[in-house]
Amino acid sequence: MATARIVPLKALVHGVSPWNPLSRVLRLRSRPLYSAVRDYSAAISPPSKAVVYDQHGSPDVVTRVTELPPVEIKDNDVCVRMLAAPINPSDINRIEGVYPVRPPLPAVGGYEGVGEVHAIGSAVKGLSPGDWVIPSPPSTGTWQTYVVKEQSVWQKVDKSTPMEYAATVIVNPLTALRMLEDFIALKSGDTIVQNGATSIVGQCVIQLARLRGIHSINIIRDRAGSDEAKAHLKQLGADEVYTESQLEVKNVRGLLGNIPEPVLGFNCVGGNAASLILKFLKQGGTMVTYGGMSKKPITVSTSAFIFKELTLTGFWLQRWMSSDKPEERQSMIDYLLGLCRDGKLKYELEVSPFDDFHSALEKAMGKRGRQPKQILKF
């Protein structure tokens, strides 16, 4: 339970900074000292330990861990003690300055996570200290020990959900689910094809497709450990897994056997890996691009458009999350978390203490070879 703390007014005034919305504390100087302390003592967050960056650049260079001062908890605000937050590729891109939507600088890193309600404003209904919540839609600044945002940002989640899955349910699993549902009316027996199959989205696509009776053809990079990666994806429910070099054949459809040609493909790599998806797709099929990890363009032959009548489109979760569909969004998240609790949706994760942030960051940036998704535990 949250407890009221008497916070010296002097400390509050000295805490004013670009990070601290308590500037109006300065206007209390004309009021009696006791009155000012009484009014604010129960409406201030604890100080927060945070990952901060003042400029864009390589995350391992421009980020630092520092302490931020307390902030005011307004009537409609919820103060959340963060429990866990992932390091996603999009988090790295925001810090690098290459992601299309970025917070103003200076900024706190992170975009999703799970936390426990620490304190609530006087007008907050439906949440209590001790509840678990996630930012939905995701919201910047989750790489810190305490976050204060309006109640509308937070969605309550079942506390029986494994913490690391609650922290990661939106950016990757929800992307997989929406792509399976938004472009083609898939039915049991249909087939999808994807590259980047070892990614979290890829692993989720395999499992969600299998639950619907949908076959999956999966493409992975040629690298050390590819046999182990294939075996792992097969355990998750993949029908077929190929390295890119295995698909250097004239007719990839001959590899499918009794599996129907894919009607839908997911591309998160670009370059040659995207071209392989186009080779697999049946006439009239659709390829959805949701990433570009290779940073290489997608090249499409004229015949793919004219004779195969393929459709190429894109998906960006943030646009869907920003649409006015709060009930649908909550329903989808609850569904995914239910699958996680039942053991029907799982993916590779590694939990690291927040104090080991820079080590976890290096792993997330690929500086220590292939690593599981890094989750910061606060």
Side-chain angles (χ1 to χ4, degrees), residues 181-307:
E181 297 196 350
D182 285 358
F183 297 95
I184 298 289
L186 294 169
K187 59 185 182 298
S188 179
D190 283 342
T191 306
I192 63 96
V193 58
Q194 65 170 341
N195 57 34
T198 57
S199 68
I200 301 298
V201 172
Q203 294 177 59
C204 291
V205 164
I206 291 169
Q207 295 167 88
L208 294 172
R210 185 182 186 185
L211 288 171
R212 290 161 169 74
I214 297 166
H215 303 288
S216 67
I217 307 300
N218 302 273
I219 304 168
I220 64 175
R221 289 180 293 171
D222 290 274
R223 63 183 177 194
S226 60
D227 288 340
E228 290 81 0
K230 286 181 181 182
H232 175 67
L233 296 181
K234 286 288 189 74
Q235 288 178 346
L236 294 180
D239 288 87
E240 297 292 346
V241 185
Y242 302 105
T243 60
E244 292 183 24
S245 63
Q246 286 181 291
L247 300 177
E248 294 175 356
V249 296
K250 186 174 182 179
N251 183 15
V252 296
R253 287 174 291 181
L255 301 172
L256 296 179
N258 295 325
I259 299 175
E261 289 181 89
V263 296
L264 181 62
F266 302 135
N267 165 51
C268 67
V269 179
N272 180 62
S275 299
L276 293 174
I277 287 180
L278 298 177
K279 290 171 66 175
F280 269 112
L281 286 175
K282 70 179 298 184
Q283 182 168 340
T286 296
M287 183 175 79
V288 181
T289 293
Y290 66 98
M293 292 189 295
S294 73
K295 299 182 180 179
K296 295 179 180 178
I298 299 170
T299 302
V300 188
S301 68
T302 302
S303 63
F305 283 121
I306 296 177
F307 302 113

Side-chain angles (χ1 to χ4, degrees), residues 147-212:
V147 178
V148 177
K149 293 182 183 287
E150 289 190 359
Q151 181 181 7
S152 60
V153 170
W154 304 105
Q155 176 178 330
K156 185 176 177 179
V157 298
D158 192 323
K159 293 178 70 172
S160 66
T161 306
M163 180 181 63
E164 60 272 23
Y165 286 102
T168 56
V169 69
I170 294 182
V171 170
N172 294 296
L174 192 55
T175 292
L177 180 60
R178 293 316 317 172
M179 291 196 303
L180 284 167
E181 297 196 350
D182 285 358
F183 297 95
I184 298 289
L186 294 169
K187 59 185 182 298
S188 179
D190 283 342
T191 306
I192 63 96
V193 58
Q194 65 170 341
N195 57 34
T198 57
S199 68
I200 301 298
V201 172
Q203 294 177 59
C204 291
V205 164
I206 291 169
Q207 295 167 88
L208 294 172
R210 185 182 186 185
L211 288 171
R212 290 161 169 74

